[in-house]
Every structure is written in structure tokens, then in C-alpha cells.
Amino acid sequence: MWIPSKTPKLAVAVYNWKGDVRSGLPLEIGETVQILEENGAWFRGFSTKNRSTWGIFPACVVSLRPCTVKGSGATAVAELKDDPLVREIACVLREWARLWKKLYVERETYRFSAVAKVMRELLSGRRALLAGTLTQDQTRALRLKLVSKLDWGNRKLGLELVPRRGAEAVEPEDISLVELYRVHVESAERAAAWRGTLRRAGGSGSSFSSGTLTNNSNNAPPTTTAQSHHLMCSMRDFGHTAGGDEAELLLWLHDARRSQPLSERFRIRIARDGFSNYVDRLHANSTLFADLSTTDLTRELWLVAWVIRVGRWAGAGSSGSGTGERRGPVARRPLGAGVLSLADFLRQTGQHPAEKEYTFKVYQCEEKEFHQLHDMLIRKQTNKCNILPGQPNYGIVVALRLLANSGSVTEAVASGATITAKRGFPDVIMPGDVRNDLYLTLEKAEFERGGKSTAKNVLATVTVHDNTGQVISDCVWGASGNGSTSYESLVLYHNNSPAWGEQLRLTVPLETFTHAHVRIEFRHCSTRDKNERKLFGFAFARLMEASGATLRDGAHELHVYKCDDPSKLLTASYLSLPSCANDAARAAPPNGVVPSFQRSSKENCTISTLLCSTKLTQNEDLLALLQWRAHPEKVQETLLRVLRLGDGLSCEELIKFLRDVLDALFALFSTEDGNSTPHSGTVFLVLISICSLLDESRFQHFKPVLDVYIEEHFSAALVYKGLLSSVQHCAEWAAGAEGQEPIRKCLRSLGAVFRLAVQSRRLFARATGGQYEDSFRRDVRAALHALKAFAQHPHREHLAPAQIALMTSWASVAREVSAALGAAETARVSAAVLDAPVSPPPALAHARLAAAHHTLRGPLGEDPEARNIILTTACHHLRVHLARRDELFQCAEMLGELVTLLWKKRDPELLADDDELDPDVDVLCLNTLDVLVETVLHLIGGNSPVLGSMVAALLGVMELLRPIHYQRLWSHLAPHPHDRKPLKDFLMRAFLVFRHLIEQDVFPPDWMVLRVQSCKVLLSALQDLAEPLLERFLGEEPPQFDTQLWSGYMELGVSLVTAGALQTERWHTPRMRARAATHVLAVWNMLGPAQLHMIPGAVGALLEITLISELRRGALGALVSLMAAERAATGSARRTEAALVDKLDSLVAENKADDHYRRLFDTVEHLSSVLMERVSTEGWREAGAAFVGCVTRLLERLLDYRAVMQGAEHRDKRMAATVNLLNFYKNEIDRKEMYLRYVYKLHDLHIASDNFVEAGCTLLLYAETLSWDSDQTGVDSEHPDTPEWKRKEALYNQVLQYFDRGKCWEKGLPLLRELATLYEIKLCDYARLAYCLRMNATFLDSVMEQLRPEPEYFRVGFYGKGCPLFVRNKQFVYRGHEYERIGAFTQRLQAEYVSAHILMRNTPPDESVIANDGQYIQICNVKPVPARRSWPSGAPDQVKRYYACNDVDTFLCDRPLQKPPIDKDNEFKSLWIERTTLVTESPLPGILRWSEVVSRSVEEIPPVEFACETMEATERELRSLISQYTADPMRNINPFSMRLQGTIDANVQGGISKYEQAFLTSEFARSAAPREAAAAAKLRRLVGSQLAVVDAGLALHGRLAPDEVKPLHRRLVERFNQLRQNLGPGLARARRQLSESIVNTPLPPVPALDKRSQSIQQTENYYEEGHFYDKPLSVEDPLEQTTMSASLPVCDNRDCNDDGSMVKSAPPLPTRPKSGDPRSPTRPSTDKYRDSIDIDFVETRRHSRTSWSEPTDAPPLPPRVSGGGVRSWCDAPPAPPRRARSDPADDARDSGVSVDAHAYTNADEHRMHKDLDLTVESLRYEEIISMMSEPLRVGDDEIPPPIPPKGLGHISSFDSGHHENGESHC
């Protein structure tokens, strides 16, 4: 029995389980499941990945985990209790894994590897968090690092931004929407900042736009927070030794720009044997350079290291590191120095830069230069120094790390690191911080040589003594760490002018500092005596000057007094002597001993000092104030001097000693009984001057110092009365005072003054038990009244700064006064102060708004009554500024603060009570909501940076509203029922704004959490906004029923229902979407008869709702109700149906529908049942069913169109779908506007594809619907004001331009004639008529002169169920692009149908292919058959050629067949042709580049008729060439020569002899059918006719041939004579073999190119091999295309073998030809083609690919070159085809054979009078025959020259006969 769990449980799968039981729930390892029921060892529940699927699973495959439960009942949600970040990483990695695999599939290598690296780092970090072995600081840093990587990965993978505070994700339900927006902004900015720490992967990036959506959430002047940085420096290694001595390493930070140290020094001891011997504890050699400010980090910082050797002298007179006897005392001597720049280290990004190691070298120089060696190294002046010997490539190794938080500092100190202080104060000095340091630098000294020949080895010893001579112990610090009593300097060998440059810190106790002095004793260190250090002099300096001020900072040159007896110094009798030139002699010491010390004027010692003390000052004025009791008569003078302290160090000294200064001032401010003193006024001025100094930016860090002083150290309990009276007097004098500066300072410091007054009163009340409380309140009220009067004073220009100062400090005044007067009274006073006068200056208005804002953030905002008072005033100011569109940043911030404040003070228990009125929310709503909506509407169209925060504020306000607030708002906007305009205006603006917020994505797309919360707020508002519509704007007829308002509401509802943020697949928000849709439908049903006024807008709204599958049927029911209502009212539902069609079209065009959408409409039963329920007439049911069927068919076409809307590869499909749609709109539902829309879409598609002819034909569809006689306007929605005839004229002109660009001028001629008639007859506009006629002439000239390539046509069959519906199992004829061959066309079609398989045979596909689910395409060439035309005798060839391949709808496709009996020696006997005739739906070219085949017929052509067709084609080609060269003798003669050569000497495939053997024998005549016999007779005549044409051609060739071609011409004449003799009369074939062949005989040399030949030469291609005359010919001019080449088979590398494609000899008895691919355009013998072309039509060869082979051959699909389909000029008529040998490498393909349409002419019409009679009208044969009166002869002495060598440059016109791989056909 299944027992429900008391509370939901969570478990994690620890095994994979397939769920292979009934109702089993499959589980994977790591999957989280929520358990709802238990039954023994089985659980029942669901996976958290898919909560909708429940199932059972064994208890043994899961592990229960502790969890927390949110909610109750069926909606309860359990969550694991583990670390949220750990859980988030696990979820994110599961989501990333799917997208990561997708990156691999899409070959995004870099992003794939980058995401993989981040995923591994996340896994590693997750393990570290789970281990729990890190410290708190390490855990915090790791969490931030992991969060940054999560955000980086989400951004790169296009996922949503997770709003976070620190490392924790926020719960959107627990914070207000304004806070949620701010968290999003912070998260996006943080993610953008972290972008630099991770390498970017391509572009995009974050969708967050700071310029549009952010506004500094703190618009007020930013308060900079002081942050101290600490540099952790650890010594890792030292690569040098000190020559057997110990050494010291001194490290400090150095400011190179100011050339002075920034920190104290840190000492590291180095043993004789190496650095590591002294590592006695962790971090013993580590230091923390503390208290570095942000400014310090921007300086030019260097790490400086001094290396000091500590030991005895090495040998007499030696200054080096010798190995001799060590003598003399132990001394510290310089060894070397090194420097390290910290610029690169400090430039690290990120909050927690990692530790880095650095190595820098140590240099040495002369000892006298050692003090400035580090400066020389920094300045790169290394000419006086060299690297320390030993290991030149090694040096000092240090590790650096920058710390910013106190936890890391504490951890470092606790582990043993030494703190090295900064030479100076940190940014903030708290009152409790006590420091009393004097930094002394031992600079240099000068000594006399005396009587000795060598200089001294001077040692300086520094000690501190009091005035009695006693030593002050442990106060001298040579480096950080531990102090000592004395310090010994470096010893420079034999140097009387030593320069040390050593820094010391003297920490003298404050009680002895006044009488202390520093003494420097100078001794000579002998190198002979080990212990001798002979004293010879001393110097001293007093730490306190005679005036009581501390020793001034800077250099001091001290006198050196001679002394060789240390005992004389014990009594400090020298203190009566001057220490330096500026020091006067003092009185004798108390002991009465008179000093007897001499001093030399040539000897001196220079030191420099720097005071860093919180108790001692060097400013005498400040010292006089602190010691005012010593001279009470000078107090006033002292106060005035302090008041006049200027900028710079004086101000800093004043702030530094803030506590002592304030104590002194309050002591002077009042007497012990609380009365004022004569100095009270001046003291008050000094006090407000100090407080105003703290407001300056440079002293912002010291504000906490004043706060701490007031709270902990302030003790003047009697000053409150004087302070309040001073403020009152200041406010009363402010309006009339001339000098406003003291007034401004006072008003700017009011917060501190009132705080001091309140604290003073608190101390007094504590001491007296609360006496005189009423008096204190009266004083406060008097001061506030004076301030209020000044704030409300009429505006004057000189008072504005003071009033602004008052507003700036008022929030702090209110905070302090509320404790004394109460919140309510303070709020009323504040409201009076904040009420601005009329039209204040902008700065003052800004200050008042900021004051109201800050006041609400104080304690007044916590009290309900006070908050409501201040809120009313603040909302008044907000309304004014929002209406003026000024201070929008501040308004948005203030609104956000108000929303956050009201959100936090809400009582969750009262949320369910909708009747509970929150007065604060009510004030906010009534005063700001309407103007806020208007402001957002104004901003939303632009790119304002304040838009995001303003929208968040608007949504935040609406989030606070409850129904009672909306009711109050409706009553406020429309108090009278008849005055509805303000309410309507507000509602219209609100609907528009909310729609923009949903549709325009004001927030970035990846801010999905915020967008969902916004939709939630708008859904709640949608329900409340319906109430005023139903109450005040609902009626059966206008104006009671407001159609505009209701349409706006319905559009808003639909926008919310279809909002992208509510997509179910991305967020689990189906309930929110369903709630919205249900509410919209419910409101719709409430309209009743008024629904008819909502047509057509409501139809679109209801259709939008049908896009949601759960609500689809309900919305369709509402649609049916609307149709029924309209039919009941008007008798038909035309308006609804029209709107439905329009909206369906727009929905599909916006890619919003799906296939289920079509199936739903196809389910007519449901709709019919609804119709039958609503109506009673049978006719309505039939009309409704018919309409549903029409809509279903429309949807089929629309969805087909949607499927191919995007992508250039779908352009052709898109064209076909567009044609289907426009035909539907025209023929089925007669919607002209929709029809025109798709006409324009089809036109645009054609233009994008450069299909100009088709674009023109498409526009003609529209033009045909227009009339020249109509002046109607509004026909075209794009040109509503243009009359119909003008629109047609414009269309014609546009179409003419397209026809001109597409070189289809013939189609434009009828249009020009119509335009000419219009201009001449109707308009009498002769100017435009002239232009029209000129264009007509231009078109005619173009027809005659322009070169136009003839298009290729291809038959394409689409088979299989995978093809789109509009092409499935259909055949089409495609019109190819210019110069496009079948290879290129096939590739283009494959790019469009990527998954299609190309059928390699042209046989009709079987049923298995048609029924297959895949896509199969069959492609082959077809030949156009021109329409039957009657041409006049002089019709130009150009026109005939155009109509031969244009405006055609009939096409032929030939396929060779071999029927038995097959003669292997002559396959022509059995070569039959299977000819397929295709008729298309429309002629080509048309509105598409293809047309569907509507009829198909097949017939077979006998071999003899095919031979006739081949001979006719050859003859036509020769005739064409003769005609061309007769008309233009200057043409290049090479094509003519090659054609004659190929015809006369037809060695390949046997030539005419094969035809003779096959068809001109008596055996054939006996067995031939009558049709074949007639064809054989015709063939006989054609052979004779061809001989006559060749004879005429040779005559013409002889006249035109230049001298270089004469040898070739003679050879051609000789061969022709032999051919004519062998054939003879009756074609009796000679029995002897020709003695030689022109192919085997050396040919004349290559003719030199004359100007005629050079005119067509191209230098782009060159023949690589073969003879000049063996190369094929290609002529670009269509007039030069010869028909012989077109009629002969084309053998390319795909169908023929290299060695068997041609026979290179012509034996008398030809053997079986090896050509496996004779393809020839043939001429049909059927009657239906007999009259298609006039006999005079001279046709040229078309560049098309024809491919014949057996049905078993498979056609390959490589791209074709332009010349691949042209046969060589020397080819003979084709031999019969043979079975091609299967060669896998060749991948042979049967693409079908196309025939020339012009080849099919009536044999009777071409009958010749005699065998050798010529009747060619296009030639003047009398001229040619006259040249043939004598037989052509070749001289006996003329020997043909040898064949020219290979490598000659070729003429491009010879290239057309090449194979695709460049091989010749010959």
C-alpha cells in the first residue's frame, strides 16, 4: 500500500536504473528525485528535471539527503540543504554538457576547448568546497572565482544571467523588483569586469548594454571608501654569497618619481653558507608592506634591495672579499643592490591577484656611490656598476602578492610575517590610532683628514637620550621587526666624506619626547686592531624646538664636536651648545657642568627627518591652540590664526589632530556652568570650518573620525545651548549677510553641529537626570524655525548656494532632531522646509529632491506617520520633475528607494487582505503612477540610459498595488461618471507602455529572471485593469463602448500570453501563461454583443491565443462565437473571415505557428460541432465547414512558406511557396491586397537573385490587373494616392528596366507599344512618347547587336515523401542561369536540397523511391522546341535564335537505345533514339525560373532518321559559316578552317562511310520499311548536298585564307578531291584505302595571328599538349556557333576512356569505333515538328551538355566547365554508341540527351533538286561557283611542313572542344 510521505523527501540516484517496470521512473546517477509516497522498498515520486512525469523506483538505487521544503501540499518543493553554490554548479554542468556537445558537432573548436577548461575548473572548485578544508578567506575567494566562471560560461553559451549578491544567487520572490533590477545590473557589470580575467571566445558577449539600461544606481556624488592594500613580499632565494661573511638584505618600497622611500626597511639575515640556514619559522623571511593606498599603487613603485656584508676586514688595505687574515672589528659594509619594478605586478586585474615570483639581479659599484646605486639602476645608468660576481644569471628571488582584506592580513601576521609600515599616515586615522614616529635618514658627513695620510673608516652610531644624558632604550629601528637602543651605520673604507643614506625610525615615548635628543657618535674602525673603535667626534639634534614644535621635516646640517672620551658625553653637558646653525645656545644644564667641546667649521653631519605622529605637531599655530591654557591672553589671536589655516599641510595637520583640536575648542566655547565665553563666536566659526573641511573630497575618509569622536570621546555636556543659539543666529542673519561663505559653511555643517548638540544634551541629561528638557526642545524648535524661514525665503541669486547647502545637510539634521522632538513633528518641519518656492533654480530643485530622498532613508522613513508626511512631499517633487522630464536619474533612484522601503515594511500576513489600504502605497500611487507611465512612454522610444531604472521603478510601484489601490486610482482619475477622458488617457498610455515592455525587450534577453518577474507583475495588473473597462467603458454601442480602449486591452493581453519570457520550454511558467489567456478569454466573453465592434482586432488577438496548445480549442470556440454573432447580425461572417485570413498570414510570416496548428484546423469535426451548436441553419454549417477547409489549405501553403523563409539556400523554395500563396489568394479567395503583397515578395526574391526577367514577369501579373482607363486610387497599399493608370505606367517602366537588364528585349517591345499608344493618343505627351520611341529603338538595336548566351534547360524530378509538398513526385523544367551547365546546376540544386540523393539514371524511378521517406532528385538536359511561327523571308537570325529557346513550353529529351540485331562493326545500324516530349504548365521564362511538367509523351526514332538529322545539322553548320564569312570576310578564319578540316577528313568514327555501309546498301533497301526507305533516300541526297556545301566552303576559304593558311588550304583541297573521287557518282565506294590521312600527315605551320585573329585571342588559357589543329574550337559569338558541332556527340572524361574515345586513323575499312558516347541533338521525323522552323533559319549550336549512355550507367555530378559540351571541329558524324565500360573512377552518368529544336524540320521542305544542287538563299553562290571553274590543285613541289612542336599559345576560340579535364576530343 502506498503511504504518502508526511513531508516531501529528496534523494539522489546512486545507480542507473532503466525503469523497466510498469510505471517505472528511469534514473541516472546523480539525478535528484523528490519522493512523495512509499511502499516498502519502493518509492514513488518525480525527477527534479521533469516534475510532470511521476513514477516508481527501488529505494536501493537512491540515497536520501537532508532537504528543506517550500510550500505545502501538492505544490511543495523540496531542495537539498547543501551549499547552494555546490548545487548550482552541479545543475549548470548538466546543462552545459548538452550545449558543449553541440559545440563539438558544430566544429566550434575554440569555444569547445574553452568551455571544457572552465567545466574542469568548476568541478575542481566544487570538490574543494565539498572537502571543507579551506580557510574562510580561501573559501570566499574560491566562491567568487567559481561564480565568475559560471557567469562567463552562461554568457558564452547564450544562457540566462543569474542575479547574485556576492557569490549567492538571490531569490526573486524575496526582494522587490527594483532590488532585483539592481542586482541584475550589478551582476552584469561584474560579469563584464570579469571578462578580462577569462579569454574571450568570439563576440557576443553579454547582452547587457550599460548605455541603455544602467544609470548609476547611486546618482548622488559617490562617496569613496578608503581601502588599504598590503603587499606581501616573501624572500624565496638569494643566489650570491658575501665572501665567507654573513650578510643582510634590506628591502623597501621606493617611489622612483619622487626619489624617496615609501616604506620602512625590512631586514633578512643571510648566513655564511647560504640563505636557507636562517629559515627558522614559517614566513620568517616574509614581510607585509602595509597601508598602501590606491594612490600609492598608481605611483612608479620599485622594490629596492640592499645587500650588506657583516664581518671583519679581509687583509690590511683590502677593500675586496679576500681570503686573507680577518682583522679589525666587525663592521657592516656595502656589497650590492638590486631593483625590481612593480608596475607589471600592480597592473594585474581582478580582486584577488595570485602570487607571482620575480627574479632580479644584484649590482655593485664603488663604496662612495653605494648610497645612490639603486637610483642609478632605476634610471638605467649602469655604466658605473656591474653585476655581482658569482652567478650572473641568478639573483634575488621574491614572491609578491597584493592583499586587500583584513582577514588575509591577520592570517599572514599570524603565520609569522613581519609588518613593514609605510613612511607616513594611511588614508584614515581613527581617533584611537596613536602613532609617534620620527623617521631619520643618516645622509652624509664631512671630516678632516687630520695628520694622517689615509682617510678614516668612519662608523656612525645613533642613539636617543633625554636631557640628563640617559639612553632611551629600544627606540631606534634600523628596519621593521624589533627595536634596539643604538644603530650602527655602514662603514666605508678610507672615506672622510661618507654618504650613508640609511633610514631609521625613532619611536620615542610621548612623555620623554619633549626633552629627548638624538646623538650621533663617530668612530674610526681600525683594520689592525680587532676591537678598536676609537671615538673622535659626535653630533646631536633636539627633537623639540624651543617654541615647543617638533623638529621640522627636511634636512638638517649638524655641527660635529670633537670628543675622544666617551665619559664626557654621559652628562649631556653639550645640550647648552647649538646643534646646528639655526639652533641658539641654551642655558647650562642643571648639573652646572660647563661643556668643553670644540668644533671644526669644516666638519658637519647631514640628516633629514620626517615626523609621523598623531600627538606631535610642527605647526606652531595648532600647537598654540592645543596649549591655549599656557597663554590665555593669546586665545583670540590663536583662534583667528587657526581659522585662517589654508590648504595643504596645515589643513591636514588640523584634521590629523582632530580630537585634541575639538577638545580644545569646546573647552573654549563655554564655561563650566554652560555660559558662553568671549571666544564662543570665533570658536563656532572654527568648529564649522573644520566640519566643512570634512565635507571636502580629500578629507572624506576622515568623516568616520568625527563620528567616532562624537560617540566615544566627546564630553562637553554644556555646549548644546550655545550651539543651537549659534545656528539660530546664523539662519536669521543669512538673508541679510553680505559675506555668505561663513553662512554656507554653517549650513553645510548643520548635521555635525546638531549631532554635537544632541550628544551634549544627552550627556547633560545623563548627568542631571533629564533636567531642562523643555528648554532644550524650545531651543531646537527655535533653530529649526529659523532654518525653515530661511529655506522658504523668496529666491535670490546670492542666497541659492546657502539654501542648497541647507538642503544638502537637512537629512542629517532631521536624523538628529527626530530623537529630540519625535518623528512626527520632525517630519512636519521637514515637509515645510522641503516645500519649494515657485520655480526654484535647477540646482536648488535637485537639492530639495535629494534632501527628500535622503530624509526618507533615515529614521523618519521607519516611522509610519512621519514616513507618510515626508512621502507626500517627496511624491509632489517627483511629480513635478517627472512632468518636466528633468532630473530623471534622481527621480528613478528615488522611486526605487521608495519602492524598496515600502516593500521591506510590508507585513506578509496582510498580503492576502485585498481590502487593507496601505496609506504609503496609496500616496505613491495617486501622486506618481500616471505621470510615471507617461514618462516611461516618452522614454521607451529612444535610447535613454535611464530607461531601465525607470521601468523597474514603474513595475516596482505596480508590484505594491492591490485592488483597493486601483479602485482609489480610478476614483481619483475619474471622480465623475461622465468625465472619463483622464481615465481613458491613462489606460491607453498604460496599455501602450505595457505592450512595449513585453514586446520590445526593454531588459536584455539574458535577464530572464527579471523578465519573468515583470510578466508576473503585468499579469496582476492585467486583471485589475479590466475592472474600469467593464464598469465604465462597456456598452452595446459607442460612445459607451470604447473600441479603441478595448482593442488596446486585448492586444496587451495577447502580448502577455505570447511573451517570450513565458515560454514553457525555458521556464516552468505554463500556469502564468494559462492564467493570462484564461483571463483574456473570460473578459472577452463578458463583452457580449459588443464583440462585433472589435472586428478585426479581436480576431487577431484570439488567433494569437490559439498559438498556445492548451488554450487552442477554447480560443477557436471564441472565434466561432464571433463568426456566429456576425452572421446573426449581418447575414454573413465576411469581416471575421477576412480578418482571420489576414492574421493567419501575418502569424505564419512571423514564424509563430506550427504543424499542429494546421492539423487542428484540419479537424473539421470539432469546429463543425461548435458551429452546429451555435446556429440552426444548414447553410451556415456548410459555409463554416467550407471556410475551415479553405483555411486549412491556406495554412498548408503558409506553413510551407514558413519552412523556407530563412536562408539563401531556400530561395528557390521560397519562390515556389510564394507563387502557391499568390495563386491561392487570387483564385480561391480573391484577396487582391494579399495577392499584391506576395507579388511584391516574389519580385523582391527575384531581384535578390538577379532574376531580372522573372522579376519583370512578376510585376506584369500586377500590371495586368490594372486598366489604362481607370483613375481609381487606393489600389495599391504602398501607393494609395496614385491613380490606377499611373501605377500601371510606373510598373511598365520598371518592368522595361528589368527586361533590359535581363537582355530580354523582345518581351519589352509590346509594353513599349502600349506606352506609345498611351502617350500619343490618350495623353498627347510627345516628350514621353519620344523617350518611349527612343527606348524602343534601343531595344531593337540591342536585339540585333548584343551578344546573348542561350539558356540551358534541365528536367528535374523530385521523388520521395521527404520532399516539400509543392514539388513532391513532380517533374519540372528549370531554366539555367547564364553559362550554367548541368554540373553547376546540380551543385546549386544540391545546396538547396542538402539531404537529397541524386538519382544516377534517367529511367523513371520505381515505386520504392517514390514511397521512401527521403528525398531523391533526377536531373538531365532537355532541348526547347520553339512554338510554330511563320517567319518572313528576311527575318533576322537573331530573332529566330531568341524564339528558338525562349517563350517555349515544349522540351525534348533523347536517350539512345540499342536494338538487336547489333552489328559490332557498325553500331549505327542499331542506334535508336527514345525521344521524350515534355510540356510545361507555363512558358519559360515566366514568373519563375522553372515550370511544372503537365504532360509527357515518348516515341522512338529509327537509326536512319537519326543519321539524317546528324547530316542535316552538319550541313546547317557549314552553311551558317559560309554565310557569316561571306557577310564579314574580316572575321578570324580559324573556326572556318577547323570546321572544313573536321568535315573533309572525318577519321574519327568512320565518317560518311559508316552511314553508307549501314543505310545506303541494297541489303538495307530490301529490308527497310517504307519510312526507313524514304529516310535512306533522303540521307543519300544529304550526302551529296553536304559535298556541294563543302565545295563552296573551300572556294570561299581559298579567297579568305591569308598566306600563312595557304598550305593548310591546299591540303584541304587535296583531301576533298580524294573524298569526292572515292565516293563518286551513286556513292559507289572505292575499294582501296586512302594512301594517307591528314591526321597522320605533317601539317603546315601555325598561322601567325594577324589583326583579325588577335581580335578574338585570349591569353587566359594555354594548351598544354597537342597540335594546334587538333584543338577544339569555341566561338563566343552565337553567329559563329556551328551546327556541326552541335549535332555531333560530345565525349567527355566522364563517359569515354582516354585511350578509346577517339580513333586517330581512318582506314578504308573502318573497324569498330571505340567511342562509347555518341550524343547528338537530333531532329524528329514526326509531323508535329515539321512546320516549327522555316528552312531559311540558320541555327547555331547551343552550348548544352548532352549525355548518352545505357540505362545502367550512373551519371556523376562534378561541375562542368564552359567548354565541356562542344565537339571538336575535326569530328565526323557520330558512330553508333556502344556500351560504356564501367569505370568507377570515371563515375559515368546518364543525364539524358537534348536535341536542338531547330533540328526538327520537314524533310519534304528540305528536299534538294539534285544531289549536288545548292539552294542557300543567304549566300551569293554565283560568286563562289565562279571560283570553282577549275579544279583545285596542289603543286607537286609543295611539301607540307612538319607538325609544329607543342607548347604554342592557343587562341581561346579553340578551347570549346576540350574535355572538362583539359583533354582534346580529337
Side-chain angles (χ1 to χ4, degrees), residues 731-732 734-735 747 783-796 799-800 802-804 806-807 810 826-841 844 848 873 877:
E732 291 173 349
L747 296 177
L784 294 180
H785 180 75
L787 292 173
K788 180 179 68 174
F790 176 71
Q792 296 178 346
H793 195 279
H795 169 61
R796 294 180 184 175
L799 294 181
Q803 290 176 328
I804 293 173
L806 174 60
M807 294 297 109
W810 183 256
T826 306
R828 286 190 287 273
V829 174
S830 298
V833 171
L834 295 176
D835 280 338
V838 180
S839 301
L844 181 57
R848 289 182 188 275
T873 302
H877 289 289

Side-chain angles (χ1 to χ4, degrees), residues 1610-1630:
R1610 287 192 290 270
R1611 178 62 64 183
L1612 292 177
V1613 171
E1614 179 183 353
R1615 286 301 179 190
F1616 180 69
N1617 289 334
Q1618 293 178 3
L1619 176 64
R1620 192 159 51 180
Q1621 292 172 4
N1622 291 338
L1623 293 178
L1627 299 179
R1629 179 173 176 79

Side-chain angles (χ1 to χ4, degrees), residues 771-790:
Q771 293 183 6
Y772 310 115
E773 184 68 25
D774 294 338
S775 175
F776 170 69
R777 291 183 178 179
R778 283 195 300 272
D779 293 340
V780 172
R781 290 190 183 99
L784 294 180
H785 180 75
L787 292 173
K788 180 179 68 174
F790 176 71

